Amino acid sequence: MKVILLENLKKIGTIGEIIDVKRGFGRNFLIANKKALHASKENISKVEKIKSELSKKDNEKKIEAKKISEKINKKAYNVKKLSTENNELYGSVKPTEISKLIKDIENIDVKPSMIQPINEIKSLGKFQVKISLHSEVDAEITIVVETADTIQ
């Protein structure tokens, strides 16, 4: 299935580029989230006309992402979780929890889908977490997991 990209996507392509993707990915993700259009003749000419407008919007998103990155990059956030005697957690720290933590502390909306823990957070300690704010802007934070209470 051929689609035209409406925004820059990491590892996929740039604005106005016509790419070949699997039908499910194109229909269920790219087109559903308004990140692409079917590559028909009408859509190709439409995208050519609004390409500069799309580039401006992308630059605005990039500037906004840089501001967020400056606020949260290299910061450490503490999470208190129930743990066993050998410092393992009951459950794990999920991206939704990290997203809520950033929202509560910094008042910045970071979608859980943007958050990529380098390792799964299942024990006490410090963990590096990468946040993709834009196709060209990333931030890295540290999650410090502390014990809330030890259960015997």
Side-chain angles (χ1 to χ4, degrees), residues 2-63:
K2 291 200 180 296
V3 295
I4 314 162
L5 293 176
L6 297 176
E7 59 182 69
N8 291 331
L9 298 170
K10 193 182 273 186
K11 297 182 183 173
I12 297 173
T14 58
I15 293 173
E17 192 176 337
I18 298 171
I19 57 168
D20 213 0
V21 293
K22 290 188 176 177
R23 181 169 264 137
F25 179 64
R27 191 178 23 211
N28 299 332
F29 178 72
L30 294 175
I31 294 171
N33 292 320
K34 295 181 176 38
K35 294 179 185 290
L37 290 172
H38 284 286
S40 65
K41 285 182 179 160
E42 302 91 53
N43 285 345
I44 291 170
S45 61
K46 199 186 298 180
V47 169
E48 288 301 320
K49 289 176 189 168
I50 60 170
K51 207 174 194 178
S52 63
E53 197 177 304
L54 291 171
S55 291
K56 276 186 204 165
K57 282 183 185 174
D58 189 60
N59 281 339
E60 288 171 14
K61 285 182 183 176
K62 187 176 173 182
I63 290 167

Side-chain angles (χ1 to χ4, degrees), residues 3-139:
V3 295
I4 314 162
L5 293 176
L6 297 176
E7 59 182 69
N8 291 331
L9 298 170
K10 193 182 273 186
K11 297 182 183 173
I12 297 173
T14 58
I15 293 173
E17 192 176 337
I18 298 171
I19 57 168
D20 213 0
V21 293
K22 290 188 176 177
R23 181 169 264 137
F25 179 64
R27 191 178 23 211
N28 299 332
F29 178 72
L30 294 175
I31 294 171
N33 292 320
K34 295 181 176 38
K35 294 179 185 290
L37 290 172
H38 284 286
S40 65
K41 285 182 179 160
E42 302 91 53
N43 285 345
I44 291 170
S45 61
K46 199 186 298 180
V47 169
E48 288 301 320
K49 289 176 189 168
I50 60 170
K51 207 174 194 178
S52 63
E53 197 177 304
L54 291 171
S55 291
K56 276 186 204 165
K57 282 183 185 174
D58 189 60
N59 281 339
E60 288 171 14
K61 285 182 183 176
K62 187 176 173 182
I63 290 167
E64 190 64 35
K66 280 184 179 174
K67 285 180 187 172
I68 293 171
S69 176
E70 287 169 11
K71 285 183 184 174
I72 65 173
N73 200 23
K74 305 286 184 222
K75 277 197 172 180
Y77 296 94
N78 293 345
V79 176
K80 290 194 183 290
K81 285 289 220 178
L82 292 174
S83 63
T84 62
E85 290 171 356
N86 54 355
N87 294 338
E88 290 178 1
L89 298 181
Y90 290 104
S92 62
V93 180
K94 302 275 186 228
T96 49
E97 200 172 338
I98 296 169
S99 171
K100 190 173 181 295
L101 186 70
I102 294 171
K103 174 73 175 155
D104 292 345
I105 295 171
E106 303 287 344
N107 199 23
I108 295 172
D109 280 321
V110 175
K111 292 179 186 148
S113 59
M114 296 174 168
I115 299 170
Q116 301 147 354
I118 294 169
N119 295 320
E120 205 170 354
I121 303 174
K122 287 188 166 188
S123 61
L124 298 178
K126 290 184 179 183
F127 297 89
Q128 294 299 314
V129 176
K130 187 177 156 196
I131 301 175
S132 289
L133 299 165
H134 183 269
S135 62
E136 300 170 26
V137 181
D138 290 334

